[in-house]
Amino acid sequence: VGAVSIDQTFTQWADSHGLQGADREALADPDKDGTPNLLEFATGRTPLRADAFAPRVVTLGDGSRVLRFATRDTRAADVRLEVEASADLARWDMLASSERGGNWVRQDVPGAPVLTEKGTGSIEVIRTLEVPVADGPCFLRVRASLLP
């Protein structure tokens, strides 16, 4: 028994889920879970079942705390993801980016938290990021955009 994992474009993903009309748009949210299609595609979710992944704080075995959230599907062939951080919601610094399902490329941002990536699931195509939780405000966001 084995698993097959193949790259897929956003259009192929929309076709495979039977999306029609306006529900095919990158910013549409046909399942009304608060996650637009493009982010559902990039993080390995389905657009027709409310399954938004809420980031959560997890305490690790050593007592440290991290914010854990799904960030990329290695099969997403035409998407760029960026993880950004802010202390005040006004200025955002890009911490890392990933294109076409590839590895995260970290940016040299002074004082930025260290991102730790882990595979999830049986074939590990969905990746989860862990970001240390520090004192003081720290806001994170993931941005997705289609590549040509």
Side-chain angles (χ1 to χ4, degrees):
V1 176
V4 175
S5 174
I6 58 171
D7 289 350
Q8 191 174 55
T9 65
F10 177 74
T11 299
Q12 291 168 330
W13 175 85
D15 290 345
S16 72
H17 289 286
L19 297 178
Q20 301 291 320
D23 284 345
R24 293 181 64 84
E25 299 295 321
L27 296 179
D29 183 16
D31 59 11
K32 309 289 188 249
D33 66 358
T35 305
N37 281 340
L38 187 56
L39 206 49
E40 297 251 23
F41 163 64
T43 58
R45 308 239 178 294
T46 177
L48 298 174
R49 186 180 74 224
D51 61 349
F53 182 85
R56 57 193 165 112
V57 174
V58 176
T59 302
L60 301 178
D62 64 2
S64 63
R65 296 181 324 142
V66 295
L67 179 68
R68 182 179 289 166
F69 57 101
T71 55
R72 74 181 174 96
D73 184 329
T74 63
R75 301 165 295 188
D78 60 349
V79 69
R80 175 184 171 86
L81 290 171
E82 297 174 348
V83 175
E84 297 176 326
S86 175
D88 59 11
L89 296 176
R91 177 183 164 198
W92 290 89
D93 293 313
M94 184 172 43
L95 302 181
S97 63
S98 168
E99 289 191 7
R100 303 184 194 287
N103 291 333
W104 287 104
V105 176
R106 294 192 173 126
Q107 305 299 307
D108 188 18
V109 177
V114 175
L115 304 175
T116 304
E117 186 175 44
K118 298 182 176 191
T120 309
S122 60
I123 55 176
E124 296 196 353
V125 296
I126 308 301
R127 304 298 174 147
T128 301
L129 276 189
E130 293 182 349
V131 181
V133 175
D135 293 334
C138 180
F139 302 94
L140 296 170
R141 69 181 178 191
V142 178
R143 294 168 38 117
S145 56
L146 279 174
L147 294 169

